[in-house]
């Protein structure tokens, strides 16, 4: 049996047909396309992905599962965790508030034939789950029996938290929405974490994309200080989580006390997202964060980069659906 998994990112959509193999997924084929903005365009794009994948699977004689697995930006709320909380999927919007309170799973399910269904999860959670499997496959024993955090820096900023049993099972405890955690910038002003640490934040400060500066040594040096500030923000986020001192810009969005209690003391953070895993710029961000942690006496906090974030996200979405 094979599962169609889709990872909706702020700039790219990745999708793949994955063979069901425990902790060792086989990617039959995978593709990446630009993410269209707006609900109608996203729905049309999803329809095309489904039709193309189903046609190719049929041609290759692969039996496709009736469950479509999706990882998407957004804090999912409601009894079935299918509704996008206001302001949490702005990277997909054609206009402000377009995705607020949208039941994304229901919208996309209407496009599918009746015998298909959708299981949707936050994209950061999907990458956390898939990344954990990949790291365990490389015998990274340190994480067994530990609580772990995920910080994903892409177009936006995502997070997730889980407990890994001594035998490698993953238990998600909270979706860990961290984009609006309160962080002080270099002037001491309180800002949303995502406004300091994300591809979007970098572009707003420099009018350049991270992809552009990674292809130019001159640009990389020109904006090195901006990258270092992003590294400092990454370290500050990890410290706040470790200390259990998490507060939001809007108090009504604060975490539940039990979730704060769970993440307090987390020392292992998986780092995902293109901004902190790809290119020379990511190395500057991570190195700055690690040095800050050392300088501030938090040498026990470890930042572990997920090597193949696209496959991790896709496999995580598929595993959660299964």
């Amino acid at each position: 049996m094979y599962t169609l998994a889709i990872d909706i990112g702020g700039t790219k959509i990745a999708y793949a047909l994955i063979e069901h193999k425990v902790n060792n997924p086989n990617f039959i084929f995978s593709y990446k396309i630009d993410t269209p903005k707006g609900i109608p365009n996203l729905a049309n794009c999803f329809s095309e992905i489904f039709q193309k994948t189903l046609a190719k699977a049929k041609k290759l004689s692969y039996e496709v599962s009736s469950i479509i697995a999706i990882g998407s930006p957004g804090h999912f709320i409601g009894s079935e965790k299918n509704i996008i909380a206001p302001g949490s999927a702005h990277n997909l919007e054609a206009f402000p508030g377009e995705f607020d309170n949208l039941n994304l799973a229901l919208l996309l399910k209407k496009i599918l034939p009746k015998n298909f269904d959708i299981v949707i999860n936050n994209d950061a959670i999907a990458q956390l789950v898939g990344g954990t499997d990949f790291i365990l496959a490389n015998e990274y024993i340190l994480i067994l029996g530990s609580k772990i955090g995920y910080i994903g820096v892409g177009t936006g900023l995502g997070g997730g938290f889980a407990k890994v049993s001594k035998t490698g099972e993953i238990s998600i405890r909270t979706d860990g929405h961290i984009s609006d955690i309160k962080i002080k910038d270099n002037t001491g002003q309180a800002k949303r974490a995502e406004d300091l640490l994300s591809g979007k934040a970098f572009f707003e400060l420099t009018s350049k994309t991270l992809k552009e500066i990674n292809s130019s040594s001159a640009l990389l040096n020109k904006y090195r200080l901006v990258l270092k500030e992003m590294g400092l923000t990454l370290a500050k986020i990890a410290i706040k989580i470790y200390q259990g001192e998490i507060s939001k810009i809007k108090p009504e969005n604060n975490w539940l006390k039990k979730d704060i209690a769970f993440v307090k003391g987390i020392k292992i953070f998986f780092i995902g997202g293109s901004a902190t895993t790809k290119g020379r710029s990511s190395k500057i961000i991570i190195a700055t964060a690690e040095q800050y942690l050392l300088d501030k006496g938090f040498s026990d906090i470890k930042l572990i980069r997920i090597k193949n974030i696209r496959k991790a996200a896709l496999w995580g979405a598929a595993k959660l659906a299964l």
Side-chain angles (χ1 to χ4, degrees):
M1 185 66 71
Y2 301 84
T3 297
L4 170 57
I6 304 172
D7 176 49
I8 305 172
T11 57
K12 298 288 183 181
I13 292 178
Y15 63 99
L17 195 66
I18 305 175
E19 185 180 9
H20 301 180
K21 288 186 176 182
V22 178
N23 294 346
N24 186 27
N26 182 20
F27 286 73
I28 304 304
F29 57 79
S30 61
Y31 300 98
K32 187 167 64 172
I33 57 177
D34 291 338
T35 303
K37 301 299 181 183
I39 292 173
N41 293 329
L42 184 64
N44 289 337
C45 180
F46 179 85
S47 179
E48 289 179 13
I49 289 172
F50 177 75
Q51 291 174 24
K52 287 180 180 178
T53 302
L54 203 61
K56 187 164 185 176
K58 184 177 181 180
K59 184 177 180 180
L60 297 173
S61 300
Y62 294 139
E63 183 182 359
V64 179
S65 168
S66 60
I67 300 296
I68 309 298
I70 298 179
S72 171
H75 179 195
F76 290 93
I77 58 176
S79 59
E80 297 182 2
K81 301 295 183 182
N82 282 337
I83 298 172
I84 297 177
S88 65
H90 56 84
N91 290 328
L92 303 178
E93 296 173 344
F95 57 86
E98 182 182 12
F99 282 78
D100 290 0
N101 297 310
L102 173 71
N103 189 324
L104 185 58
L106 182 61
L107 171 75
L108 298 179
K109 186 177 178 180
K110 290 178 180 178
I111 299 168
L112 302 174
K114 291 183 179 180
N115 57 322
F116 282 87
D117 203 353
I118 286 174
V119 174
I120 192 164
N121 283 279
N122 174 266
D123 56 343
I125 293 299
Q127 198 167 129
L128 168 61
V129 170
T132 301
D133 270 3
F134 288 175
I135 289 169
L136 284 173
N138 293 319
E139 299 182 358
Y140 207 100
I141 307 301
L142 174 66
I143 68 174
L144 293 177
S146 301
K147 295 187 293 185
I148 57 175
Y150 168 86
I151 301 173
V153 190
T155 305
L157 176 65
F161 303 90
K163 176 70 180 289
V164 181
S165 73
K166 292 183 178 180
T167 54
E169 286 82 21
I170 308 165
S171 301
I172 302 297
R173 285 295 298 265
T174 168
D175 75 359
H177 207 61
I178 64 172
S179 64
D180 56 346
I181 283 179
K182 191 186 299 182
I183 298 289
K184 289 183 178 179
D185 64 13
N186 57 7
T187 68
Q189 185 177 356
K191 296 283 188 68
R192 295 173 72 254
E194 188 175 79
D195 294 336
L196 299 172
L197 181 63
S198 64
K200 181 181 178 182
F202 183 85
F203 183 79
E204 289 178 350
L205 283 169
T206 66
S207 298
K208 301 289 182 182
T209 65
L210 288 168
K211 186 176 181 179
E212 285 178 293
I213 69 162
N214 278 320
S215 62
S216 167
S217 296
L219 288 175
L220 192 71
N221 288 326
K222 181 177 180 179
Y223 296 114
R224 186 175 294 271
L225 289 179
V226 178
L227 294 171
K228 287 187 174 183
E229 286 295 332
M230 291 175 68
L232 296 179
T233 299
L234 173 59
K236 290 174 184 178
I237 291 171
I239 291 170
K240 280 189 173 292
I241 293 165
Y242 174 79
Q243 294 179 326
E245 297 178 353
I246 301 167
S247 60
K248 301 291 194 79
I249 291 292
K250 294 182 178 180
E252 63 268 26
N253 293 331
N254 280 339
W255 284 9
L256 298 174
K257 290 182 179 180
K258 66 175 184 176
D259 288 336
I260 294 177
F262 175 77
V263 304
K264 185 176 181 180
I266 284 181
K267 301 176 183 178
I268 301 170
F269 291 88
F270 292 169
I271 306 299
S274 58
T276 38
T277 61
K278 294 182 179 181
R280 293 178 291 174
S281 60
S282 69
K283 295 179 181 179
I284 295 171
I285 294 170
I286 296 295
T288 303
E290 290 177 333
Q291 188 60 54
Y292 184 87
L293 291 171
L294 286 173
D295 292 344
K296 296 296 181 180
F298 294 98
S299 59
D300 51 344
I301 295 179
K302 305 299 180 186
L303 307 179
I304 303 171
R305 291 204 291 180
I306 298 173
K307 291 183 178 179
N308 193 322
I309 55 172
R310 179 165 60 90
K311 284 190 173 182
L314 290 166
W315 170 238
K319 185 171 181 177
L320 286 166
L322 295 170

